[in-house]
Amino acid sequence: MRETSIPAFFLPEVAEADLGEFTTLEFGQGQNTVRMHSPLLTPALLSKIIAQLKEAREEYLAKLPVYEIIETIDKAVALWRDPDYPLRRKAEALLPLITGYSSEMITQTLDEIVLMLRGEDLKLLLEEELGDPLFLDQFRPRPKSTGMCKVYGPRLTTAVFAGNVPGLPVANIVYALLMKSAILGKSSSEEPLFGVLFAQTLAEIDPELARSVAMVCWKGGDVEIEHLAFGSSDAVVVYGGEHSVNEVRKRVPFRTRFIAYGHKLSFGVIGREHLAADRVRQTAAWAAVDASVFDQQGCLSPHVFYVEEGGQTTPKEFARLLASEMEAFNQKIPRGRISPDESAHINQLRGSYEFREFEDQGVALHASSRGTDWTVIYERDPAFVPSCLNRTIRIKPVKDVSEVVGLIEPIKGYLQTVGAALPQERFLSLANKMGQLGADRICPLGKMTAPSLTWHHDGRFNILDLLRWTDIEQGST
């Protein structure tokens, strides 16, 4: 089995022959089947892995200057920018089979991830959150008051990943190393490859640094394993739905730093100014990008576009233009593979709106000619309705964008990103109202699924919230 399958783990300190029994993961079908294997994690093996991670961190990572860590990550990212780099080619060949995303979507995703994690961007992230990155290396003078301070990252961070969007493990590996924290990553059973491959790249460049990284799989809810992993960690980061997050929270000790990224909802707003004849086609193209990237699987993907009335293009006509742009995007980057149940759900939704369209002028359905590749629904009822995803988007008219605040109130606890096509003054007014409701990111239309590295994910810092400060106070002697 191991001769024909791919490791779904990264354990540089343990020889594969010493890992004991393995579990097998299979993706795809027939000749397109991908087989991966991962060690069956026992408390004894996990204890050994944790001890080795902490030892590697103390011996090397904790002593490494932060700018040297950035340089190593930058070298790794540079390799991944090369389309002929063997591990990148491996990712491009296998991730479509594993995730179901199209090859074109995977290529674009890899390009965006490695562009975001360049050394210059990592320096900017640390400067944005810490002011002076050298606080990670030594006691430094406080910029606004007397005394000195230094920051300390967790000795060990355990991260529990979701598999809906590729790339999460890579970003978290980078964040942990910047904090000089060893990281134990629990790969998602839906996508256990990318983080492993990136860790292998780090090992090519600096094997000692890579000793502070481990990627493994275990069945979520394994009480013995999770009590050991979380109880041995100084910080636990989890991605997932409400149930998964709450189950992990139960097993994290009270004094362990716990950061959860749970289920979120996003939407878009389009002002009448962007419906002018000379702008509306571009507006529709931006909206199509937001509704299509990652096949709408991410928390940043819109479920609804609220379109303002009173422009040169009506919201109903905009829905038709959006349908055209959805088709154009699908020709360039096809939607990925979906399950029979997902396809049936889309067809059922289409059928209900086809029936309503005959009797109701306030409804219009636009659907891909081939299968369920994309669906655009115009609906006069302005109530927010979550999408069934996989490039299924609703267009809902509003007389004025100010009405959106009341319409979104029922989901304020789940707000994530708002994409807006508005003039600057109206953009800022909407941003303030959305921020008060709980949205943590308001961005231009067309950029919803591409946040900057310095984005405050769920309203938090990416690194600072996991750091601990120590102060030296100076007074008269």
Side-chain angles (χ1 to χ4, degrees), residues 17 53 60 71 82 146 157 194 197 199 224 252 254 356 376 385 477:
L53 285 171
Y60 187 75
E71 183 179 355
D82 179 2
T146 61
T157 299
F194 191 13
L197 295 182
E224 191 172 12
V252 176
F254 176 73
R356 289 177 56 189
V376 176
V385 180
T477 58

Side-chain angles (χ1 to χ4, degrees), residues 350-370:
R350 286 179 174 184
S352 68
Y353 277 94
E354 284 176 351
F355 180 79
R356 289 177 56 189
E357 193 175 15
F358 283 113
E359 301 178 348
D360 187 351
Q361 292 297 311
V363 171
L365 174 69
H366 306 275
S368 55
S369 59
R370 186 181 71 87

Side-chain angles (χ1 to χ4, degrees), residues 109 113 116-117 159-175 183 188 191 194-195 215 237-240 261 294 298-299 455 457:
T109 299
I113 289 172
M116 183 174 66
L117 295 175
V160 179
F161 298 117
N164 55 330
V165 176
L168 281 178
V170 172
N172 280 267
I173 289 171
V174 168
Y175 294 155
I183 180 169
S188 166
E191 197 284 275
F194 191 13
M215 296 293 295
V237 180
V238 58
Y239 297 82
Y261 298 103
F294 298 131
C299 290
W455 164 48
H457 190 178

Side-chain angles (χ1 to χ4, degrees), residues 58 104 125 130 145 152 163 174 181 219 222-223 246 251 255 281 284 321 365 372 404-405 437 471:
E58 294 302 319
E104 295 85 350
L125 172 65
L130 301 180
S145 61
Y152 298 86
V174 168
S181 171
K219 183 175 176 59
D222 186 321
V223 175
N246 289 334
R251 299 189 179 100
R255 296 189 181 278
R281 180 63 72 176
L321 295 173
L365 174 69
T372 58
V404 172
V405 179
L437 274 184
D471 299 334

Side-chain angles (χ1 to χ4, degrees), residues 195-215:
V196 169
L197 295 182
F198 188 77
Q200 290 175 6
T201 301
L202 292 173
E204 291 177 10
I205 298 166
D206 188 341
E208 288 299 307
L209 179 71
R211 290 176 59 220
S212 292
V213 178
M215 296 293 295

Side-chain angles (χ1 to χ4, degrees), residues 12-34:
E13 292 288 272
V14 185
E16 187 164 337
D18 297 331
L19 290 174
E21 188 177 350
F22 283 78
T23 59
T24 301
L25 302 171
E26 289 195 0
F27 306 90
Q29 296 178 345
Q31 294 183 341
N32 292 323
T33 298
V34 176

Side-chain angles (χ1 to χ4, degrees), residues 180-344:
K180 304 187 182 184
S181 171
I183 180 169
L184 172 67
K186 178 188 179 299
S187 295
S188 166
S189 59
E190 297 175 18
E191 197 284 275
L193 180 67
F194 191 13
V196 169
L197 295 182
F198 188 77
Q200 290 175 6
T201 301
L202 292 173
E204 291 177 10
I205 298 166
D206 188 341
E208 288 299 307
L209 179 71
R211 290 176 59 220
S212 292
V213 178
M215 296 293 295
V216 293
C217 300
W218 72 76
K219 183 175 176 59
D222 186 321
V223 175
E224 191 172 12
I225 291 296
E226 293 187 347
H227 273 307
L228 177 58
F230 304 151
S232 302
S233 302
D234 301 291
V236 174
V237 180
V238 58
Y239 297 82
E242 286 191 21
H243 176 75
S244 298
V245 167
N246 289 334
E247 287 301 305
V248 171
R249 192 191 306 268
K250 294 176 185 176
R251 299 189 179 100
V252 176
F254 176 73
R255 296 189 181 278
T256 299
R257 190 97 27 124
F258 179 74
I259 302 291
Y261 298 103
H263 175 60
K264 295 289 183 176
L265 298 169
S266 299
F267 68 96
V269 177
I270 298 168
R272 60 179 66 94
E273 299 87 350
H274 285 263
L275 300 172
D278 61 342
R279 307 178 72 178
V280 67
R281 180 63 72 176
Q282 180 61 68
T283 304
W286 287 335
V289 170
D290 287 338
S292 300
V293 170
F294 298 131
D295 299 347
Q296 244 180 335
Q297 297 294 320
C299 290
L300 305 177
S301 300
H303 292 249
V304 172
F305 286 120
Y306 286 105
V307 181
E308 197 173 41
E309 296 177 333
Q312 291 182 2
T313 306
T314 67
K316 192 171 186 178
E317 176 63 14
F318 180 78
R320 185 186 66 80
L321 295 173
L322 175 58
S324 175
E325 293 300 326
M326 293 285 284
E327 177 61 29
F329 190 93
N330 195 61
Q331 292 294 324
K332 182 174 65 172
I333 301 181
R335 194 199 62 190
R337 182 182 70 246
I338 64 175
S339 70
D341 284 347
E342 288 173 310
S343 183

Side-chain angles (χ1 to χ4, degrees), residues 386-408:
S387 171
C388 62
L389 309 180
N390 296 307
R391 303 189 181 182
T392 301
I393 189 76
R394 286 177 170 86
I395 303 298
K396 292 176 174 279
V398 289
K399 292 181 178 179
D400 189 275
V401 294
S402 60
E403 298 175 14
V404 172
V405 179
L407 295 169
I408 295 302

